[in-house]
């Protein structure tokens, strides 16, 4: 019960923590009386909602340049435009910026003026998805908590680009052009508080090196990974959610206890080349194995504890906690073997 509550709190934290803290800061630090110190000019290309005076909406305006940002602005929305450059001039007075959304523009690395991002000392969120970046921009603001760079053309991560980002909790690099050579042993050095790392939809053939130790969510879907190294997860002892769907994992590529990891609660191995269910830990709650090559399931063999223990209600603490099992898209024929139900007494759904 304690683990379940703890997991729920972690999920809530990951989804809402930064936004909640930011909103709270607005009310704590920006008393309405303080607004008298600011002018309420609004760039003619943008919308300034009277009820949200520290936000500036310049999205979907066909802009080719960033307008001058007023000093009062904390939240800046510039997505869905034609912006190619990010220069220092528009941000001269914008010393309070916490959030910038530049998704879906035409920004290249050459279009980002040197040092312009790192000068935004208070920035927490930076969204640069769906642009034309070929490498992670650098240098970055040291206070960043979320960096979203999905759907660019990134094939290179400059050395040391993350080394000072101790507050970063989310790094999203999915759907880029990263090869194994782009992820060196020190690439993620400095990300001491990272909780979510998304490198899905790249061109990796190996598990990435030196994932930050505090990582809770690791997403590696849609790569070409074939092997899980022995004891790989010892270095990330807190990993809770692991996604490896759409890779090239076979039985030979998984060590005997590769996924028998007590911290993992949600394991997704859909669309691989497995012919049997790999050993799992009793703490696992969700297991996705659909669209592999599994022909049969033996509950006695895959049960993390002995069937005798699973049948004994007096050992509830040792009963496997699996609640959801997906096996469709394999070669398994119903009905579900009885020993599966005997072992996994907490199962709420089986898709076969």
């Amino acid at each position: 019960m304690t683990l379940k509550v703890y997991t729920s709190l972690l999920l809530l934290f990951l989804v809402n923590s930064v936004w909640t803290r930011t909103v709270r800061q607005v009310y704590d630090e920006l008393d309405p009386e303080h607004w008298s110190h600011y002018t309420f000019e609004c760039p003619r290309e943008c919308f300034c909602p009277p009820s949200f005076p520290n936000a500036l909406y310049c999205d979907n305006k066909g802009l080719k340049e960033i307008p001058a940002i007023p000093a009062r602005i904390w939240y800046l929305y510039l997505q869905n435009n034609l912006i190619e450059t990010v220069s220092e001039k528009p941000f001269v007075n914008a010393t309070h910026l916490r959030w910038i959304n530049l998704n879906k523009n035409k920004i290249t690395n050459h279009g980002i003026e040197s040092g312009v991002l790192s000068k935004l000392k208070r920035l927490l969120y930076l969204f640069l998805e769906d642009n034309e970046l070929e490498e992670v921009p650098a240098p970055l603001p040291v206070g960043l908590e979320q960096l979203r760079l999905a759907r660019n053309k990134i094939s290179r991560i400059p050395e040391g680009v993350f080394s000072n980002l101790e507050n970063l909790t989310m790094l999203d690099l999915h759907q880029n052009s990263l090869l194994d050579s782009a992820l060196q042993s020190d690439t993620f050095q400095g990300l001491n508080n990272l909780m979510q790392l998304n490198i899905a939809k790249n061109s990796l053939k190996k598990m990435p090196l030196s994932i930050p130790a505090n990582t809770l969510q690791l997403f590696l879907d849609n790569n070409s990974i074939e092997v899980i190294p022995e004891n790989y997860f010892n270095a990330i002892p807190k990993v809770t959610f692991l996604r490896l769907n759409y890779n090239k994992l076979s039985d030979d590529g998984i060590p005997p206890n590769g996924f028998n990891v007590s911290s993992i609660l949600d394991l997704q191995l859909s669309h691989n080349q497995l012919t049997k269910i790999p050993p799992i830990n009793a703490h696992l709650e969700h297991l996705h194995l659909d669209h592999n090559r599994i022909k049969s399931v033996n509950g006695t063999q895959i049960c993390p504890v002995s069937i005798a223990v699973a049948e004994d209600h007096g050992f509830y603490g040792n009963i496997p906690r699996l609640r959801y099992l997906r096996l469709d898209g394999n070669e398994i024929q119903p009905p579900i073997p009885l020993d599966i139900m005997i072992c996994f007494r907490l199962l709420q759904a089986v898709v076969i």
Side-chain angles (χ1 to χ4, degrees):
M1 180 64 182
T2 302
L3 179 61
K4 183 176 181 181
V5 172
Y6 176 66
T7 304
S8 300
L9 289 174
L10 282 176
L11 278 169
L12 184 62
F13 175 81
L14 286 170
V15 175
N16 296 317
S17 62
V18 177
W19 171 251
T20 302
R21 183 167 65 256
T22 305
V23 172
R24 185 171 63 248
Q25 287 174 338
V26 172
Y27 290 99
D28 289 348
E29 299 179 19
L30 294 182
D31 188 278
E33 295 180 2
H34 294 169
W35 289 114
S36 61
H37 299 298
Y38 296 96
T39 58
F40 280 78
E41 74 275 11
C42 184
R44 60 183 179 81
E45 309 96 328
C46 308
F47 171 62
C48 300
S51 60
F52 199 10
N54 58 342
L56 182 62
Y57 291 87
C58 308
D59 52 307
N60 297 288
K61 302 293 184 181
L63 300 180
K64 294 185 178 180
E65 297 181 349
I66 299 174
I69 311 303
R72 70 177 188 277
I73 300 304
W74 283 37
Y75 306 102
L76 177 59
Y77 299 89
L78 288 161
Q79 66 270 27
N80 293 303
N81 281 294
L82 303 171
I83 297 169
E84 296 181 1
T85 60
V86 180
S87 61
E88 184 176 347
K89 185 178 179 180
F91 298 102
V92 169
N93 297 317
T95 57
H96 293 285
L97 277 173
R98 264 50 168 188
W99 172 306
I100 298 178
N101 189 333
L102 277 161
N103 291 346
K104 296 187 178 180
N105 278 283
K106 297 181 178 297
I107 299 167
T108 64
N109 288 92
H110 294 296
I112 300 176
E113 186 176 332
S114 178
V116 62
L117 297 176
S118 62
K119 291 178 182 178
L120 302 173
K121 304 291 187 184
R122 301 189 183 186
L123 197 66
L124 301 177
Y125 281 73
L126 178 58
F127 298 171
L128 280 164
E129 299 178 343
D130 295 286
N131 277 280
E132 298 178 15
L133 300 173
E134 295 183 351
E135 63 181 54
V136 174
L140 292 163
V142 296
L144 271 187
E145 295 186 2
Q146 286 198 17
L147 177 59
R148 304 195 184 204
L149 298 169
R151 294 178 298 278
N152 277 274
K153 303 173 182 177
I154 295 172
S155 61
R156 182 175 177 270
I157 300 178
E159 183 178 355
V161 67
F162 302 128
S163 60
N164 295 319
L165 303 187
E166 293 188 0
N167 295 327
L168 199 71
T169 59
M170 174 194 281
L171 175 58
D172 190 345
L173 288 163
H174 88 269
Q175 200 165 331
N176 276 284
S177 302
L178 292 171
L179 300 170
D180 296 317
S181 58
L183 305 180
Q184 300 299 314
S185 59
D186 59 351
T187 296
F188 301 113
Q189 185 174 347
L191 299 179
N192 299 328
N193 290 296
L194 193 71
M195 289 186 288
Q196 184 183 107
L197 178 59
N198 191 341
I199 326 178
K201 294 188 177 182
N202 278 278
S203 300
L204 303 181
K205 294 183 178 180
K206 300 177 181 179
M207 294 292 285
L209 301 171
S210 300
I211 300 297
N214 286 318
T215 302
L216 297 174
Q217 299 182 337
L218 179 58
F219 304 148
L220 293 164
D221 314 78
N222 292 90
N223 280 285
S224 298
I225 296 171
E226 299 179 357
V227 176
I228 307 294
E230 189 83 33
N231 301 320
Y232 181 84
F233 299 104
N234 288 356
I236 41 175
K238 298 181 181 180
V239 65
T240 305
F241 302 90
L242 178 62
R243 291 197 334 218
L244 280 159
N245 304 318
Y246 291 96
N247 276 282
K248 297 182 179 180
L249 289 171
S250 64
D251 302 328
D252 293 337
I254 300 175
N257 284 295
F259 296 119
N260 187 359
V261 180
S262 61
S263 65
I264 299 178
L265 303 183
D266 190 297
L267 176 59
Q268 300 190 19
L269 298 169
S270 304
H271 294 271
N272 278 280
Q273 300 169 14
L274 303 175
T275 64
K276 59 184 179 182
I277 297 177
I280 59 174
N281 193 272
H283 291 99
L284 187 67
E285 295 183 2
H286 296 84
L287 178 59
H288 298 246
L289 284 165
D290 55 286
H291 298 90
N292 276 274
R293 301 174 182 176
I294 301 170
K295 295 183 179 180
S296 63
V297 181
N298 187 316
T300 303
Q301 290 180 355
I302 68 171
C303 191
V305 300
S306 72
I307 291 292
V309 171
E311 286 184 294
D312 191 337
H313 290 279
F315 289 89
Y316 180 81
N318 293 324
I319 288 181
R321 299 176 186 177
L322 194 67
R323 288 169 167 79
Y324 179 87
L325 176 60
R326 184 169 177 183
L327 292 167
D328 55 305
N330 285 282
E331 301 177 36
I332 304 168
Q333 299 297 322
I336 299 168
L338 180 61
D339 51 4
I340 291 285
M341 307 311 297
I342 292 174
C343 174
F344 302 107
R345 290 176 170 263
L346 301 181
L347 266 177
Q348 297 174 355
V350 180
V351 184
I352 194 169

